[in-house]
Amino acid sequence: MTKIYNKRIVSLILALIIIASSAFGVSAAENTKVCPGGMPFGVKFYTDGVIVSAIEEIVCESGTVSPAESAGINIKDIITHVNNKKVATATAVSDAVAKSGGSPIVITVQRGDQTLSLTLTPAKSPDGKYKAGLWLRDNTAGVGTVTYINPDTGEFAGLGHGICDCDTGRLLPLLRGSVMNVSINGIKRGLSGAPGELRGSLGADKLGVLTKNSNTGVYGVMTSIPSGIEPIEIGTRDDLHEGEAKIICTLDNEGAKEYDVMLTSIERCGRDSKNFIVCVTDKALLEKTGGIIQGMSGSPIIQDGKLVGAVTHVLVNDPTRGYGIFIENMLEAAG
């Protein structure tokens, strides 16, 4: 009995060690080589359900009413069904309201972990149309930077943070998304209190598809892998250290280039997208952008020849500094 008991203890300890290592992505990172990104990409993003971004009052013959508020619908709710029929567009919701004739309709919403069925009675506006008093969002588009591409599968990650609704700040649930080519049109320099922006326009060429939107970035598959990029090793959170590093980003249509930065204030237990501070020291980059600007999110960070992370956010009051995410956090989310 003693020997069996001891074997069980040893097995349990080994299992805990394996789980701990897996949770921090150590084995995955140490055995992975990827192509660093730095190139811009465009996103056409369609949500899984319809986001409630605002609620308004409707003026009708009986006075001012708010059908959505009376029904108990909240900003940030995700409408998934109307009268038990799945909806994926704002138009589908609006059409159901317009055709209701003022009769109550059942709105199914996702609110956090809850699924709620709410009864909404549309109001007749002065123009004769029935309305719910809802501002809805079902798609978005934008520009970001690729962090890495798996040379064997074409799988990629970018942004280093999720795509969120601009009104509610909520992470958008992905129904489907396309990766598009981008042409850089110009740069708005960052100033204290006024973040800069990489201005680009989405092209007509589809480069791949999105498969996931998470708090640590967006993920998908490229239909082709850019040539001339050599795969490099992944650096773990323990490899990353305070000191000099480089970021790769694209500021014009001449391609990706490396720029000097300093890494400080490392939070090694960080699980989100703000794990350390990135300070831009490169004079050429500071002259062009003022530091970190919107559109640079996802720019890979290289230190000691390894991919250790990505740029995620700018500090609004100091555009020369921003946050970075451990590459391990992105790899874990990628699966």
Side-chain angles (χ1 to χ4, degrees):
M1 290 295 293
T2 302
K3 289 183 180 180
I4 295 175
Y5 182 74
N6 288 339
K7 285 181 180 179
R8 287 178 177 172
I9 292 177
V10 172
S11 297
L12 178 60
I13 292 173
L14 287 174
L16 290 174
I17 291 173
I18 292 170
I19 291 171
S21 298
S22 176
F24 282 90
V26 174
S27 60
E30 288 178 345
N31 296 314
T32 301
K33 278 192 175 184
V34 296
C35 295
M39 65 288 292
F41 70 103
V43 171
K44 287 185 177 180
F45 188 108
Y46 298 88
T47 60
D48 186 9
V50 183
I51 308 294
V52 178
S53 58
I55 293 174
E56 66 176 2
E57 295 181 332
I58 304 297
V59 178
C60 57
E61 292 181 356
S62 60
T64 302
V65 298
S66 178
E69 185 177 354
S70 298
I73 297 174
N74 293 342
I75 294 174
K76 299 186 181 182
D77 282 350
I78 302 173
I79 298 176
T80 60
H81 296 76
V82 176
N83 288 334
N84 296 319
K85 183 178 179 180
K86 186 172 178 61
V87 291
T89 66
T91 300
V93 178
S94 299
D95 286 348
V97 171
K99 295 175 182 177
S100 69
S103 298
I105 58 176
V106 177
I107 305 290
T108 304
V109 303
Q110 191 71 32
R111 183 180 300 165
D113 296 329
Q114 294 181 298
T115 300
L116 306 174
S117 292
L118 307 173
T119 301
L120 181 146
T121 303
K124 191 175 184 179
S125 63
D127 61 6
K129 297 179 180 179
Y130 288 95
K131 299 181 179 179
L134 289 168
W135 286 89
L136 305 172
R137 187 187 306 278
D138 59 17
N139 67 82
T140 188
V143 175
T145 300
V146 174
T147 303
Y148 69 79
I149 304 173
N150 185 318
D152 298 321
T153 64
E155 295 170 292
F156 81 98
L159 292 186
H161 60 74
I163 296 176
C164 298
D165 181 78
C166 61
D167 295 315
T168 67
R170 178 172 182 150
L171 188 72
L172 293 176
L174 175 66
L175 175 63
R176 68 182 187 277
S178 299
V179 181
M180 313 299 294
N181 68 312
V182 171
S183 294
I184 304 301
N185 301 327
I187 294 172
K188 176 186 174 183
R189 295 184 79 256
L191 302 171
S192 178
E197 180 182 8
L198 187 64
R199 292 171 174 164
S201 57
L202 273 62
D205 296 332
K206 184 176 177 180
L207 305 180
V209 296
L210 292 183
T211 57
K212 187 174 185 179
N213 181 36
S214 80
N215 289 320
T216 60
V218 296
Y219 305 86
V221 181
M222 295 286 190
T223 54
S224 62
I225 300 172
S227 60
I229 304 176
E230 290 296 326
I232 63 174
E233 293 182 8
I234 291 296
T236 68
R237 67 188 68 222
D238 292 326
D239 291 327
L240 187 146
H241 58 83
E242 293 193 353
E244 297 179 352
K246 293 183 181 295
I247 64 172
I248 306 175
C249 59
T250 302
L251 304 178
D252 49 40
N253 291 315
E254 295 182 3
K257 297 180 181 178
E258 291 187 345
Y259 298 95
D260 295 326
V261 297
M262 291 285 292
L263 308 183
T264 64
S265 306
I266 302 169
E267 297 288 342
R268 298 201 186 276
C269 294
R271 311 301 298 172
D272 57 10
S273 60
K274 297 179 179 179
N275 307 141
F276 52 89
I277 294 294
V278 181
C279 181
V280 177
T281 58
D282 196 289
K283 292 182 179 180
L285 183 56
L286 290 171
E287 184 177 344
K288 289 182 179 180
T289 66
I292 296 169
I293 58 175
Q294 295 176 14
M296 286 172 57
S297 296
S299 297
I301 301 172
I302 312 298
Q303 189 177 60
D304 300 331
K306 296 180 179 181
L307 176 61
V308 294
V311 176
T312 60
H313 301 81
V314 62
L315 296 179
V316 175
N317 293 326
D318 182 4
T320 66
R321 299 194 304 152
Y323 288 103
I325 183 175
F326 295 128
I327 197 63
E328 285 178 278
N329 289 359
M330 297 183 73
L331 287 171
E332 288 168 20

